[in-house]
Amino acid sequence: MTEQPAPPVPAPSQPDISGPVFEAHEGGKLESVPTKPLRDRADLALLYTPGVADVCRAIAIDPSLSFRFTTRRNTVAVVTDGTAVLGLGDIGPVAALPVMEGKAVLFKHFAGVDSVPVCLETGTVEEIVEAVARLAPTYGGINLEDISAPRCFAIEEQLKARLDIPVFHDDQHGTAIVSLAALINAAKVVGRELETLRVVISGAGAAGVAIANILLRRGVADVVVCDSRGVVHSGRTDLAEHKVRVAATTNPRGVTGVLADAMLGADVFIGVSGGSVPEEIVATMSSDAIVFALANPDPEVHPEVAARHARVVATGRSDYPNQINNVLAFPGLFRGALDSGASGITEAMKLAAAQAIADLVEAPVADLVVPSVFDERVATAVAAAVAAHA
């Protein structure tokens, strides 16, 4: 019998690149602009050879002068390997570049911080750490972005130990800072002390772990974290290393089972996992509950459903009240760190940033527990709070 040839593989369909979104991205969203004029030979001699040699010699003697006489003083690298981009997943570094450019636009617009996308081919944790560490002398800070868990934890930890400039994984800590700020004010709305709340976090990845940690540091004692297999607790034998640490510091009542078991009687639900939570489970929460359903573009609980059972509802979307958006945190945080010459981002800085964001809402109500991302006071307030703890 003659072997039949394999059927041809269909060519991938070409994307539709028409419309206003693609027009807005045409040619990219960034450009380099000199800060000093180059008008004549005298300017050339100052800005380049021979004058620049004097600056090089001075920095060689005292490297800290690089933060005064080069762009390091105001430039952050936005680093990704493209393994966890928005809700798109592992799309690679080239496809991640538009997001990193967008991040750079936000840095500049909200806090005057210059930033450069650095999209790396993915590799081992050690390879990425080595690559970023070798690039670090060009920058005043490192913003890690859209790197998958659990590798993101090790990459950040190793870079923080190796470098003497701020290193910050925004997917973890930016989300955690703004979530805490919103919860501080949501607790006021429902007339509760933050420390007394029973909190359930759905998602044990980068954001979920960071939210759990910052809530614990802020004094919230009863935090239960759930992953796709149920409650994270010390009796489970299938936990990755970062979840083992979560199990050791959370779940003081020893809850076991699935998300529904954790949600029974809970005061707060924070979703950073995707998926969906049935309405009948949300209905089992306490009266005057708080629901932060932060998955984008589809929240774990639709806001209209959540509103039937919760007093305060927040999402990650801009078309509903109470948008939990990292842009409330990271521009001002780096602004404060750069201006103060901080060598790192501390836990005290993160807590101070959250409190500064919360304090900008003078009279919290159910539909207003965080300021608008376009509130011009935010970056200044966060920068001042961070600098005060440098």
Side-chain angles (χ1 to χ4, degrees):
M1 181 182 229
T2 304
E3 185 174 335
Q4 296 297 315
V9 177
S13 60
Q14 291 299 308
D16 179 3
I17 56 173
S18 61
V21 169
F22 287 92
E23 291 175 8
H25 289 253
E26 186 79 46
K29 301 185 286 295
L30 303 173
E31 65 176 346
S32 297
V33 178
T35 61
K36 303 293 190 298
L38 179 58
R39 297 160 297 201
D40 50 31
R41 291 173 65 87
D43 287 342
L44 181 61
L46 287 172
L47 300 180
Y48 198 52
T49 185
V52 73
D54 292 340
V55 181
C56 293
R57 292 188 188 100
I59 293 173
I61 296 169
D62 181 2
S64 70
L65 292 175
S66 66
F67 291 98
R68 180 176 177 184
F69 294 110
T70 77
T71 55
R72 287 193 85 191
R73 64 177 295 275
N74 194 52
T75 305
V76 170
V78 182
V79 178
T80 189
D81 66 352
T83 54
V85 181
L86 297 177
L88 304 175
D90 185 355
I91 60 173
V94 175
L97 183 54
V99 179
M100 303 309 117
E101 287 186 357
K103 196 85 172 188
V105 171
L106 299 179
F107 264 118
K108 188 65 173 180
H109 177 84
F110 289 106
V113 173
D114 296 318
S115 55
V116 178
V118 178
C119 297
L120 302 172
E121 285 289 346
T122 191
T124 65
V125 166
E126 291 72 25
E127 287 171 338
I128 292 177
V129 168
E130 187 67 21
V132 176
R134 289 180 178 273
L135 290 167
T138 310
Y139 305 104
I142 304 294
N143 183 95
L144 301 173
E145 192 79 19
D146 292 350
I147 300 173
S148 60
R151 56 199 302 175
C152 60
F153 302 113
I155 290 169
E156 184 189 41
E157 290 170 2
Q158 292 183 29
L159 284 172
K160 287 170 66 176
R162 185 164 172 176
L163 302 180
D164 59 357
I165 58 175
V167 176
F168 183 79
H169 184 205
D170 188 47
D171 300 313
Q172 289 185 63
H173 310 300
T175 305
I177 288 167
V178 182
S179 296
L180 173 58
L183 190 57
I184 289 170
N185 284 336
K188 293 178 182 177
V189 173
V190 300
R192 295 283 300 276
E193 295 296 324
L194 193 70
E195 295 77 8
T196 68
L197 296 173
R198 287 173 53 182
V199 179
V200 174
I201 299 171
S202 177
V209 171
I211 291 170
N213 288 338
I214 201 170
L215 292 184
L216 292 170
R217 287 192 295 271
R218 185 58 172 77
V220 180
D222 196 336
V223 177
V224 176
V225 178
C226 298
D227 63 10
S228 60
R229 297 184 179 182
V231 176
V232 175
H233 61 84
S234 56
R236 283 178 51 180
T237 59
D238 60 343
L239 298 178
E241 181 180 350
H242 71 284
K243 294 181 185 180
V244 171
R245 294 196 294 267
V246 169
T249 56
T250 62
N251 196 7
R253 291 178 288 115
V255 178
T256 60
V258 296
L259 178 66
D261 299 302
M263 291 279 281
L264 183 62
D267 303 306
V268 181
F269 169 78
I270 302 177
V272 282
S273 63
S276 61
V277 180
E279 182 173 0
E280 57 266 27
I281 294 178
V282 180
T284 68
M285 297 178 68
S286 68
S287 59
D288 283 341
I290 298 165
V291 170
F292 294 173
L294 306 184
N296 262 322
D298 300 313
E300 293 88 349
V301 185
H302 192 281
E304 294 175 9
V305 172
R308 293 200 282 265
H309 306 282
R311 178 91 171 273
V312 180
V313 179
T315 70
R317 294 172 50 145
S318 59
D319 53 347
Y320 288 96
N322 297 325
Q323 184 187 17
I324 308 296
N325 192 320
N326 292 11
V327 78
L328 291 169
F330 71 82
L333 187 141
F334 271 99
R335 177 78 280 151
L338 292 169
D339 289 348
S340 63
S343 60
I345 304 297
T346 66
E347 303 307 319
M349 289 177 181
K350 297 171 195 174
L351 289 170
Q355 190 64 57
I357 295 168
D359 288 345
L360 291 174
V361 182
E362 297 178 3
V365 293
D367 285 348
L368 183 61
V369 295
V370 286
S372 164
V373 297
F374 293 105
D375 187 329
E376 295 181 355
R377 302 172 300 161
V378 174
T380 301
V382 171
V386 168
H389 288 81

